[in-house]
Amino acid sequence: MSSIYGNKLKISIFGGSHTEAIGMTLDGFPAGYHVDYDALSAFMERRAPGRNAQSTSRREADVPEFASGIRAGVTTGSPITPIIKNTNVRSSDYDGICNTPRPSHADYSAYAKYGEHADFAGGGHFSGRLTAPLCVAGALAIGLLSKSGIAVSAEAVEIGGETDKERFAGVIDDAKADGDSVGGIVECTVTGLPAGVGGPMFDGMENRIAKAVFGIPAVRGIEFGAGFAAAGMRGSEHNDPFCIRNGRVETKKNDHGGILGGITTGMPIVFRTAFKPTPSIGKEQDTVRLSDMTETKITVAGRHDPCVVLRAVPCVEAAAALAVLDAMMEDGIII
Amino acid sequence: MSSIYGNKLKISIFGGSHTEAIGMTLDGFPAGYHVDYDALSAFMERRAPGRNAQSTSRREADVPEFASGIRAGVTTGSPITPIIKNTNVRSSDYDGICNTPRPSHADYSAYAKYGEHADFAGGGHFSGRLTAPLCVAGALAIGLLSKSGIAVSAEAVEIGGETDKERFAGVIDDAKADGDSVGGIVECTVTGLPAGVGGPMFDGMENRIAKAVFGIPAVRGIEFGAGFAAAGMRGSEHNDPFCIRNGRVETKKNDHGGILGGITTGMPIVFRTAFKPTPSIGKEQDTVRLSDMTETKITVAGRHDPCVVLRAVPCVEAAAALAVLDAMMEDGIII
Amino acid sequence: MSSIYGNKLKISIFGGSHTEAIGMTLDGFPAGYHVDYDALSAFMERRAPGRNAQSTSRREADVPEFASGIRAGVTTGSPITPIIKNTNVRSSDYDGICNTPRPSHADYSAYAKYGEHADFAGGGHFSGRLTAPLCVAGALAIGLLSKSGIAVSAEAVEIGGETDKERFAGVIDDAKADGDSVGGIVECTVTGLPAGVGGPMFDGMENRIAKAVFGIPAVRGIEFGAGFAAAGMRGSEHNDPFCIRNGRVETKKNDHGGILGGITTGMPIVFRTAFKPTPSIGKEQDTVRLSDMTETKITVAGRHDPCVVLRAVPCVEAAAALAVLDAMMEDGIII
Amino acid sequence: MSSIYGNKLKISIFGGSHTEAIGMTLDGFPAGYHVDYDALSAFMERRAPGRNAQSTSRREADVPEFASGIRAGVTTGSPITPIIKNTNVRSSDYDGICNTPRPSHADYSAYAKYGEHADFAGGGHFSGRLTAPLCVAGALAIGLLSKSGIAVSAEAVEIGGETDKERFAGVIDDAKADGDSVGGIVECTVTGLPAGVGGPMFDGMENRIAKAVFGIPAVRGIEFGAGFAAAGMRGSEHNDPFCIRNGRVETKKNDHGGILGGITTGMPIVFRTAFKPTPSIGKEQDTVRLSDMTETKITVAGRHDPCVVLRAVPCVEAAAALAVLDAMMEDGIII
């Protein structure tokens, strides 16, 4: 029911695509961390809209102002609240969406839940714009994790069915030229983790990461290690033999994705996330008019990304970093 | 950190493969529900070990005794605690596991977390046996959901790479004959849900279901609707056009899997779960001896399933039912 | 570990006495509620500083700007975030507090937890100023509860040992003239509740209200119904006989304070909250210098209330309203 | 809505006065703790019924059998579940309670919430018997805290208005002879805590302890340090000056009860809890018949304590210990 995540380190996200501001409160972040504003800006820039030819033409500065929690560049231990003004609002683009829901957007389900007063403008609270405050939190988490030698790194490994990264831009351009969109897959790796983080059953590392990652709009699936491919393997093939490397216990390969029984093994956590194609496309689509329950057509206006996958890469890193940091703080490894 | 799941309807699971008993406490289940013991037994029987030639030879009665929460066959509104005795214990099979972790089991990661005092016998609290109390809760949830016209139904759609169900037994037999194991994919469908259940971001239906389903051992991935295939589709192909059917809003197809923006659309929720092959195989495997940090070999003893996928089917239903019921109770739709 | 409260309706408070802004995010508040801004302003005014001769001379406009969650005066169902700028900051008043903790303030304990980077200015996140966003949330909750006929009303019943309300101003003036401070007791009543709200043990109405009320700085105790006086009564005196009034079950008196077994009886909830005297006094006090662990003296500068009790009255109402609304939403009575 | 307490260390209590068994699951307790069964028995004995002339004549062995979580006397890190059989059940004593609620018991409010299927026998899940599993958890928590030099100790300081402990037995005997009951006050002290445990606002030590303590039936109030008396004091009297003692920061007196800003100061935590007189008395009382909404009389049968205060002493210790241990585990001080 909530836009809140985390057990010990809790993020509470607010705002909508066309509200006055968006932001979040990060509660439980340790005191004494020196914020690297350059790293934060660089991280935000990777997610920001309007940065390349393939992205939406909507530009937002996406500069967070910290209302609290940081003093003289250092975290105080109190809740951290960055606020990002929505400067480039065109809510008139969205008039009447409530009555004619856009296919594969949240318009209809949000209407079913919240009724006519829901904020439909640009997806409202369901907008991908809400990943901006997620990324602020993620940048802080990544920065703190790096002090413990932990690195979080994601990349797009497939876009529109294409796995050759050099062709990604072309695939997206083709979709855009057709008034269409494409999805893709992001792979994320977390290295440097000690063994023993997490727990069995419902608060295992997979559960935690999955809960965070499905908070990013357009995610349709997540798999760890060999993932769905493991379903077609035999145990003798899938099992990862233990070995000693440099005096440490490791596995000879990493089909388990760094997690066994919900607990880290010390091998890198590896997971992949599937993103659907952007539901906003230039083509006319079938929909319904809720006011009189008749069928009708819609052509979605507004400025939209033909592909969110590249911009989603830092969002996946942010979600993973929050999940990992929260687990390590709960385990008392990072205090 | 915990074997507890749920916001309003909370399950807390206890026990290990070879402890005296296993069970759970289900807190928040409504009063006045007449327990269908036959349906409960039939549900448990689907998960129970030793029921067919393909399954482990370990047999457990798996009959829950309710210590509390049910009086004269009707739930009282107080916490429900079924207790299942572990009658068929052979912990001597597991001596020394702590020192030589079994590949792709939780032995090593649990040792890293809990140290030498962890319960390694048969996987301890990480054992698939812990899905028995999950299934008791699931049977109750499924029964209560059915009063609102909601049905939860799963099936194995792939085993060992084979999608023809008539060949599943053969695939498993072949693996068993080779002292090996196979994984598979379970597809689950929830029908009869109203539109408007769930919420955006971190408590969306995907997040809730994923968090529950990753509580089942051996799960490596989950995907909703078109899932990973969506990553290779264009928006014009993936988007689900709205239409009016029988006076209700529906979509012409269901690539969105019944969930948009974390909220149900009224179409069936559809998701698939990937299970890895059972890590316990009869073949000798490479491992390490933790006491002196040397490499060694292990041949896993004990009675094991060459494939857990068939027995996992009701577990997936149970996890989905708990996630859906909890969300509906939080939304005040089922009270 | 957190400034977050609530199960279904969650408030996350941020900011400090001298940060750029303070505020909160209220997650889970229903859509479709028309905000009564006049009532909100009037409620905030009751808590605001500098409104009478007895209060601190620091004045703050305390006008919340809603960054999200309200559109055209109506809640959208998305998280509601009011932001209150801190306009009247004099952080230089607080230089060096870290090293010489003020007696009975949170300086020392916060230093022990967060170290030198904690925000000590004006109490930082521990300041009574953080009750301003609590009151915004409370005003919304009170407004929504009133739609169901539920009223939340508190008053100061004792100040500085004096129970005659006409003498409260004099008691406070006397303390102020002496450079001293006084505490008091606030009694809160919630009427119009149906029977059956709440639950046994740890999520009972007392637990919920107590958890919220102890979030207000300076609270030292809480008692329900006859409270501590009940400890000196006999059962035959304390027990509240049931009766029928106007066709409803009531009790002839209300020593139980409207709650039995953690669940409402339909009688008014009545509880009292004890506030300690403001720790900031004009007199010189003994303290320590942490840098060299020696004893020293401190005279607390800054503008302080000689008594926070009158301004705390709406804060108690706010905390009670959030606790009651959250419980009713969880029970599916208010959706 | 739940009988679950704790953030990192979670207790989930089940059972009723006359169900087959009662117990709890303690999730998150560290591995490697050697259980002191003698200390556990002694602790349980302090709470057990039927141990002296002043107590109920119902005797229960109250011997917990651990279904899981302990192996060879040592905790494994997995959920710990003690089960206590209810051996001495006389549910016929309680026939018809549902229709004629006992004054100041939870019968009526439970009926309002759960309806006719609620378990009313002996108070059902609302019974003081549920403090037995709380005490098992408390004994484990106290044992683990003692390894860090932390001691939890409570005592009755007032019974039936009498503060001279030597007269407590007489006060109780007098009430019993009159078919009546008395309440009292329990004071609890936690020593040996480091400074810096807890946090501001809603997860402060007072909030945590209050939430736990109000889980004990019959509690009507809680106060910390000077408590309600603080309301009548001046700041110059109530403030606790800091000083250096044995090279440590202490306060010269402890009116703050060891907590400032929700965080421990290193001084002992001191709080008092008010217990109402047992609602079960031998005298005829006014009540109502719910079936036809008429007024009637009731004389409560069954075997009841004329005073629960002495038996409640270890329960208060248990609640305090769980609250403190959970906070210390969340803070990463005890892992």
Side-chain angles (χ1 to χ4, degrees), chain D residues 62-129:
Chain D
D62 278 353
V63 177
E65 292 176 34
F66 289 93
S68 65
I70 297 173
R71 201 185 44 177
V74 182
T75 59
T76 64
S78 294
I80 300 170
T81 300
I83 296 172
I84 300 172
K85 290 272 164 56
N86 274 334
T87 55
N88 193 343
V89 173
R90 286 203 223 160
S91 63
S92 63
D93 282 359
Y94 300 94
D95 282 355
I97 280 174
C98 165
N99 194 31
T100 52
R102 295 167 296 171
S104 293
H105 270 282
D107 300 341
Y108 174 67
S109 54
Y111 173 79
K113 182 177 178 69
Y114 301 112
E116 59 180 328
H117 294 293
D119 177 15
F120 299 98
H125 187 59
F126 298 83
S127 165
R129 236 184 111 48

Side-chain angles (χ1 to χ4, degrees), chain C:
Chain C
M1 213 62 33
S2 80
S3 301
I4 297 177
Y5 174 83
N7 291 348
K8 183 166 175 188
L9 176 69
K10 292 183 180 168
I11 181 172
S12 173
I13 294 181
F14 64 85
S17 182
H18 293 257
T19 60
E20 187 182 333
I22 61 177
M24 61 97 190
T25 293
L26 188 61
D27 192 299
F29 197 86
Y33 171 73
H34 290 251
V35 178
D36 182 337
Y37 290 99
D38 290 340
L40 173 61
S41 294
F43 194 77
M44 296 304 289
E45 187 72 11
R46 289 169 62 200
R47 194 217 69 90
R51 290 305 182 272
N52 56 53
Q54 281 76 43
S55 175
T56 170
S57 59
R58 174 178 175 178
R59 283 191 69 93
E60 291 281 0
D62 277 353
V63 178
E65 293 177 34
F66 289 93
S68 66
I70 297 174
R71 200 186 44 176
V74 183
T75 59
T76 64
S78 294
I80 300 170
T81 300
I83 297 172
I84 300 171
K85 291 273 166 57
N86 275 334
T87 56
N88 193 343
V89 172
R90 285 204 224 161
S91 64
S92 63
D93 282 359
Y94 300 95
D95 282 355
I97 280 173
C98 164
N99 193 31
T100 53
R102 294 167 298 171
S104 293
H105 271 281
D107 300 341
Y108 175 66
S109 54
Y111 174 78
K113 182 176 178 67
Y114 302 111
E116 59 182 328
H117 293 293
D119 177 14
F120 299 97
H125 188 57
F126 298 83
S127 166
R129 236 185 111 47
L130 273 295
T131 57
L134 177 70
C135 281
V136 180
L140 295 171
I142 288 169
L144 186 60
L145 286 170
S146 73
K147 307 289 180 192
S148 300
I150 296 162
V152 181
S153 173
E155 63 174 342
V157 294
E158 183 184 316
I159 287 185
E162 177 61 63
T163 58
D164 179 347
K165 286 165 202 176
E166 298 189 11
R167 298 192 192 163
F168 286 175
V171 167
I172 298 171
D173 285 340
D174 288 352
K176 189 177 184 179
D178 295 346
D180 215 329
S181 65
V182 285
I185 297 176
V186 173
E187 181 170 290
C188 185
T189 305
V190 185
T191 59
L193 276 166
V197 179
M201 307 209 75
F202 303 116
D203 264 348
M205 293 309 298
E206 299 101 328
N207 317 57
R208 290 166 177 268
I209 292 172
K211 184 176 177 182
V213 165
F214 277 112
I216 304 169
V219 170
R220 303 314 291 148
I222 189 167
E223 58 178 10
F224 292 83
F228 275 83
M233 297 162 77
R234 281 195 163 190
S236 57
E237 178 190 5
H238 179 265
N239 282 4
D240 293 330
F242 288 106
C243 61
I244 305 288
R245 294 270 161 77
N246 304 316
R248 296 176 59 238
V249 175
E250 295 196 356
T251 57
K252 296 184 180 180
K253 59 187 184 63
N254 189 15
D255 276 337
H256 71 286
I259 308 167
L260 289 174
I263 302 177
T264 59
T265 62
M267 294 296 288
I269 291 180
V270 181
F271 68 91
R272 272 167 306 284
T273 302
F275 286 83
K276 69 180 184 185
T278 322
S280 292
I281 56 176
K283 298 175 186 296
E284 187 184 72
Q285 299 176 80
D286 291 335
T287 186
V288 294
R289 193 160 44 227
L290 297 172
S291 55
D292 60 2
M293 292 293 276
T294 55
E295 301 189 340
T296 182
K297 305 282 185 185
I298 188 170
T299 303
V300 177
R303 301 146 295 167
H304 302 289
D305 270 333
C307 179
V308 297
V309 178
L310 295 175
R311 291 177 54 204
V313 170
C315 306
V316 171
E317 293 176 357
L322 288 171
V324 167
L325 180 55
D326 183 39
M328 294 190 74
M329 291 182 65
E330 251 199 305
D331 278 354
I333 301 173
I334 293 180
I335 299 177

Side-chain angles (χ1 to χ4, degrees), chain D residues 9-50:
Chain D
L9 176 69
K10 293 182 179 168
I11 181 170
S12 173
I13 294 181
F14 63 86
S17 183
H18 292 256
T19 60
E20 187 180 332
I22 61 177
M24 61 95 191
T25 294
L26 189 62
D27 192 300
F29 197 88
Y33 171 72
H34 290 252
V35 178
D36 181 339
Y37 290 99
D38 290 339
L40 172 60
S41 295
F43 194 76
M44 297 303 289
E45 187 72 12
R46 289 170 61 201
R47 194 216 70 90

